[in-house]
């Protein structure tokens, strides 16, 4: 379970502010469609532009967090998010809404970049990422329960994101001026390690996120037009689904590395594919709610393991940021792709296409998880009696980040056993190196 004393809560708050826009994507896109003179495809394109701006921040800043400082960049990103989303929520002029959404998206992406970099530098990245997912799921669920009762304005979800950024901004004072505080982060310099695994993971996570958010971006319209839900009932389904996601995050945090990475990533993605088919083809409120709740339960579990997998590839967090930015690219293309696919093939046909794509990308993602399976999910130290902590040894010898299990999770008690050993031979008993005579007594074996 999550330990209160070891969880970096300011970092979790920044993570929450950065990840909230994708979680509110269905209501944001849906209200742009109904509250502004935009078609469904145009509203999806605005959502894609917002998330594309967020992804671009990650690619631009992945290698600059250490130089600029986590505190400075987090404040910059949260300020942009507040100004951009706040301005977009207060106007009905479409160009101004689009400009505000793009500006706010860059701010959210900056906050996400800082959070991803710092999480990779933590002794327990899985704990920090699951805490962040828990926080953003809870907040998004509260927004889905509240917003339908406040009116039909397009600006309500955008205002919620802006106010979250404003609330988190004071907490950034507890972030360090720079990263690289761990021994592994200080010594890990030079080119990106594990380039092949990192590139495969980045490409497949992009496709994984594209499939997820193609459905998520049109889920509101599926619920309203195909499953027959009202606006309040739809908000309730989304809130319950995100509440189920909270349980999924708690389960992921409790399991930690016990199942490894390959099974949660591979089997979890296959199950998500089935949930997408159920949701997209639902024609009744019960079927729609079942698919959405099951999907949102599994999604954060797999995502937490993907975040941990990316963080384990580089102690400086560069792969965590780049994989996260690739995920944001997929997320960005999701609303538009979902709108186009559903217009061409219908919602049920879109679900089948997305499920097939998920099953395809599950194979290389699982292969990367298996390939890096020798590096435990939770990096830390093993304290040896009278010896150097193993994490320091690993850092000094170039062992990849995450190669050492976490204290308390994988550390084993040292038991001292008395063994009756023969007395040491005197100096004169040793002979020169070389083959023994035939009559010589055999020495000890290789053990």
């Amino acid at each position: 379970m999550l330990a209160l004393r070891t969880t970096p809560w300011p970092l979790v708050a920044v993570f929450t502010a950065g990840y909230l826009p994708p979680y509110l994507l269905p209501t944001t896109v849906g209200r742009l469609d109904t509250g502004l003179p935009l078609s469904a495809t145009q509203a999806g394109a605005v959502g894609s532009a917002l998330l594309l701006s967020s992804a671009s921040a990650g690619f631009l800043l992945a290698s600059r967090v250490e130089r600029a400082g986590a505190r400075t960049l987090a404040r910059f990103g949260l300020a942009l998010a507040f100004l951009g989303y706040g301005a977009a929520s207060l106007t009905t002029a479409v160009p101004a809404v689009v400009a505000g959404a793009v500006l706010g998206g860059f701010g959210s992406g900056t906050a996400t970049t800082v959070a991803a970099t710092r999480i990779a530098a933590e002794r327990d990245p899985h704990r920090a990422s699951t805490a962040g997912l828990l926080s953003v799921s809870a907040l998004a669920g509260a927004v889905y329960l509240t917003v339908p009762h406040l009116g039909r304005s397009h600006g309500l979800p955008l205002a919620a994101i802006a106010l979250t950024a404003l609330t988190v901004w004071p907490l950034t004072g507890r972030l360090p001026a720079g990263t690289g505080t761990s021994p592994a982060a200080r010594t890990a310099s030079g080119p990106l390690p594990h380039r092949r695994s990192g590139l495969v993971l980045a490409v497949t996570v992009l496709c994984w996120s594209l499939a997820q958010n193609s459905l998520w971006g049109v889920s509101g319209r599926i619920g309203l037009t195909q499953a027959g839900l009202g606006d309040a009932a739809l908000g309730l389904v989304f809130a319950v689904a995100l509440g189920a996601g909270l349980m999924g995050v708690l389960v992921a945090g409790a399991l930690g590395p016990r199942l490894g990475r390959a099974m949660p990533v591979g089997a979890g993605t296959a199950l998500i594919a089935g949930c997408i088919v159920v949701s997209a083809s639902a024609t009744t409120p019960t079927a729609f709610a079942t698919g959405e709740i099951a999907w949102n339960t599994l999604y954060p579990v797999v995502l937490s393991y993907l975040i941990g997998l990316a963080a384990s590839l580089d102690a400086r967090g560069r792969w965590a940021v780049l994989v996260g930015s690739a995920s944001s690219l997929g997320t960005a293309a999701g609303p538009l792709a979902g709108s186009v696919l559903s217009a061409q093939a219908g919602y049920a046909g879109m679900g089948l296409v997305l499920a097939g794509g998920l099953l395809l990308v599950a194979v290389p993602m699982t292969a990367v998880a298996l390939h890096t399976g020798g590096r435990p999910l939770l990096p830390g130290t093993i304290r040896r009696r009278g010896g150097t902590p193993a994490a320091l040894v690993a850092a000094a010898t170039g062992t990849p980040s995450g190669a050492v299990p976490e204290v308390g999770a994988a550390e084993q008690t040292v038991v001292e056993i008395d063994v009756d050993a023969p007395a040491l031979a005197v100096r004169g008993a040793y002979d020169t190196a070389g083959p023994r005579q035939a009559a010589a007594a055999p020495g000890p074996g290789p053990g």
Side-chain angles (χ1 to χ4, degrees):
M1 300 297 288
L2 302 179
L4 295 177
R5 288 181 294 180
T6 59
T7 302
W9 292 111
L11 179 58
V12 169
V14 174
F15 182 101
T16 301
Y19 264 77
L20 186 59
Y23 270 71
L24 296 183
L25 193 63
T27 187
T28 300
V29 171
R31 283 171 177 266
L32 289 174
D33 180 11
T34 58
L36 296 175
L38 294 172
S39 67
T41 302
Q42 289 172 332
V46 174
S48 293
L50 184 161
L51 297 173
L52 182 61
S53 179
S54 180
S56 67
F59 286 116
L60 289 173
L61 301 173
S63 61
R64 293 177 171 84
V65 176
E66 292 182 13
R67 189 161 53 241
R71 185 187 308 160
T72 300
L73 271 184
R75 287 177 171 177
F76 172 72
L78 292 173
L80 286 184
F82 173 71
L83 293 174
Y85 293 125
S89 69
L90 296 175
T91 181
T92 56
V94 173
V97 171
V98 174
V102 170
L103 181 64
F106 192 88
S108 297
T110 302
T112 302
T113 299
V114 173
T117 304
R118 291 300 307 160
I119 283 175
E122 288 290 316
R123 291 179 58 192
D124 193 340
H126 193 247
R127 184 189 303 278
S129 62
T130 51
L133 291 171
L134 187 67
S135 174
V136 71
S137 297
L139 180 58
V143 172
Y144 277 115
L145 285 175
T146 304
V147 163
H149 301 288
L150 300 179
R152 294 291 304 165
S153 170
H154 78 282
L156 288 173
L158 297 170
I161 302 171
L163 291 175
T164 300
L166 181 63
T167 303
V168 169
W169 198 91
L171 300 178
T172 58
R174 298 180 62 184
L175 292 177
T179 59
T181 56
S182 67
R186 286 195 295 268
T187 57
S189 59
L192 277 170
H194 313 294
R195 289 196 174 191
R196 182 180 300 176
S197 295
L199 286 173
V200 170
L201 185 62
V203 171
T204 53
V205 166
L206 187 155
C207 299
W208 187 85
S209 294
L210 173 64
Q212 308 286 334
N213 287 280
S214 293
L215 177 63
W216 189 236
V218 298
S219 285
R221 296 205 296 274
I222 293 175
L224 291 172
T225 62
Q226 182 172 282
L229 279 80
D231 191 50
L234 180 65
L236 179 61
V237 169
F238 285 150
V240 173
L242 290 173
L246 296 179
M247 297 304 298
V249 173
L250 289 173
V251 170
L255 288 175
R258 291 179 179 86
L259 299 178
R261 299 189 191 101
M263 191 176 80
V265 169
T269 298
L271 291 174
I272 286 173
C275 295
I276 285 180
V277 172
V278 172
S279 256
S281 60
T283 56
T284 65
T286 300
F288 178 77
T290 299
E292 291 288 318
I293 291 170
W295 174 34
N296 281 276
T297 302
L298 295 167
Y299 168 80
V301 176
V302 179
L303 180 59
S304 70
Y305 281 93
L306 289 173
I307 293 173
L309 177 57
S312 74
L313 297 179
D314 178 27
R316 293 176 63 189
R318 290 170 293 177
W319 275 126
V321 173
L322 292 174
V323 170
S325 298
S327 174
S328 296
L329 280 179
T331 301
L336 183 58
S339 297
V340 172
L341 277 174
S342 59
Q344 297 296 320
Y347 292 126
M350 176 198 69
L352 291 174
V353 171
L354 297 178
L358 278 178
L359 292 177
L360 286 177
V361 301
V363 177
M365 283 198 307
T366 305
V368 172
L370 287 171
H371 179 66
T372 59
R375 294 188 291 278
L377 189 63
L378 306 178
T381 62
I382 300 178
R383 293 184 176 86
R384 297 171 179 160
R385 297 184 182 180
T388 306
L392 300 181
V393 175
T397 56
T399 302
S401 170
V404 202
E406 174 70 30
V407 176
E411 183 178 2
Q412 297 184 6
T413 305
V414 176
V415 179
E416 297 180 359
I417 303 175
D418 294 330
V419 178
D420 293 331
L424 292 175
V426 296
R427 172 71 178 175
Y430 290 96
D431 201 350
T432 57
R436 291 188 183 92
Q437 305 249 339

